[in-house]
Amino acid sequence: EVQLVESGGGLVQPGGSLRLSCAASGFTVSNTTMMWVRQPPGKGLEWVSTLLRGGDRTYYSDSVKGRFTASRDNPKNTVYLQMDSLKIGDTAVYYCATGLSFPPRIQTPGTQVTVSS
């Protein structure tokens, strides 16, 4: 059974950092394209980042490029989203998902990130 569990969200001040984790089971993240998306309050899903399978090629939305870094830890079968220089506009529920298609099928509760002073 494919399962994803996000964690690492929280409350942080503008300019701060958080690292989100997405622990996977039922499949191997090293062989799977992974995606991070987010849903700001009152808005629809936004694509954040895609980490292609089989390597370290990553793509980012313009709104997070240069501030966020996606990565994977193959032995832990986990993907991460390092978020630096956070802005109030980054406040959202963050989800990880598999595949290239947007919007992805969301099957998890996500993790809440709140950026506020």
Side-chain angles (χ1 to χ4, degrees), residues 11-72:
L11 174 64
V12 63
Q13 293 185 341
S17 297
L18 283 174
R19 189 178 78 157
L20 306 184
S21 300
C22 173
S25 59
F27 69 100
T28 304
V29 298
S30 62
N31 295 329
T32 305
T33 291
M34 301 297 296
M35 180 186 303
W36 286 97
V37 298
R38 67 186 182 185
Q39 186 164 21
K43 298 183 179 181
L45 277 177
E46 296 180 352
W47 171 69
V48 174
S49 178
T50 296
L51 180 57
L52 294 183
R53 66 179 181 178
D56 295 325
R57 292 185 66 182
T58 54
Y59 298 89
Y60 303 95
S61 67
D62 288 343
S63 62
V64 308
K65 195 176 299 180
R67 301 187 297 119
F68 290 12
T69 304
S71 62
R72 57 164 61 94

